[in-house]
Amino acid sequence: MTTGVDLGVPATQAIRSDEDVVRVRQLVRTTAVAVRLSLVDQTKLVTAASELARNTLIYGGGGSAEVTTVSDGRRRGVRIVFADQGPGIPDLDLALTDGYTTGGGLGLGLSGARRLVDDFDIRTAVGEGTEITITKWSR
Amino acid sequence: MERVPILKIGDILLVSILVDMSDQTAVQLQEDLAERIVATGCHGVIIDITALDIVDSFVGRMLSTIASISKVLDAETVVVGMRPAVAITLVELGLSLNGIRTALNVERGMELIAASRADDWDAVLVDDEDTETATP
């Protein structure tokens, strides 16, 4: 489950094209710098966001990324919600397995992104869409 | 769509990725490089990623593919300038960058390519000598 209090006004980036995936990376990078994540944590978060934004585009048929600054009292962090109204994921366990892919990629997007962040929450329904929430906290 | 420039320096093609590439730009680079290797007959490709602040699975796969394509076209690929944070993230992501040779910077990359070409020639020359001595 995700914890913490939203601080800032969320910034939303639509994901409709390749260039939008680049814009998501830039938005996440700017926010990560603003909450002073370490360089390694910034890199991990932006990489995870890049994987998930691409998934939203390719598998979800497009959607959006909502980036928010959060706090749990002690630490600050960045939360990102990726949402699409695509076909959903029928077998979540399988989709989270390293190397599993239906799209011709390396099958590291979902499983790899999960390893790179602190909180990872996924909700999906076949025929309705997928919503993935990730959070990275400052140390 | 932006295009990544490819520079020819002697026997080497140098690609410095200076912008955050869209996936399409990355695929285009793959094709452009294959064409330039054949057109120039270069035997080495150096991809400088000093300016890249992330390498995700797509770019990682592109680097592996470029290395494989170059190999088939008789050219050696070396990826140089990877940032420490990028290396840490790549490993955690689970990308192994199979078949990719790396060096710290462009200079080392050039040395690596020169050395591996020299080794290849040594091997060819040694083979020749062996053949000669074997013949009575």
Side-chain angles (χ1 to χ4, degrees), chain B:
Chain B
M1 184 188 68
E2 290 192 73
R3 249 179 142 119
V4 180
I6 302 169
L7 306 176
K8 182 178 178 296
I9 302 173
D11 192 32
I12 285 172
L13 294 176
L14 176 64
V15 181
S16 290
I17 304 175
L18 297 174
V19 292
D20 191 346
M21 290 185 295
S22 72
D23 291 359
Q24 236 186 321
T25 304
V27 171
Q28 185 67 50
L29 173 60
Q30 231 167 263
E31 292 170 14
D32 289 351
L33 251 180
E35 271 173 35
R36 284 296 295 277
I37 292 171
V38 172
T40 59
C42 282
H43 291 299
V45 175
I46 292 180
I47 303 176
D48 183 6
I49 59 167
T50 311
L52 280 194
D53 41 40
I54 69 150
V55 171
D56 63 11
S57 65
F58 194 89
V59 171
R61 182 166 63 143
M62 176 209 75
L63 294 174
S64 289
T65 307
I66 286 177
S68 306
I69 294 172
S70 320
K71 189 144 251 161
V72 175
L73 298 175
D74 192 25
E76 190 89 36
T77 301
V78 182
V79 172
V80 306
M82 189 182 293
R83 298 182 185 185
V86 171
I88 292 168
T89 303
L90 266 181
V91 171
E92 205 153 315
L93 184 64
L95 264 185
S96 52
L97 293 190
N98 274 333
I100 296 185
R101 303 186 74 178
T102 54
L104 275 186
N105 52 41
V106 173
E107 198 179 352
R108 296 264 189 96
M110 287 177 137
E111 284 166 12
L112 195 61
I113 288 172
S116 85
R117 293 303 294 178
D119 283 352
D120 286 355
W121 280 111
D122 284 351
V124 172
L125 293 175
V126 168
D127 280 354
D128 285 353
E129 281 165 20
D130 285 353
T131 329
E132 277 165 32
T133 43
T135 326

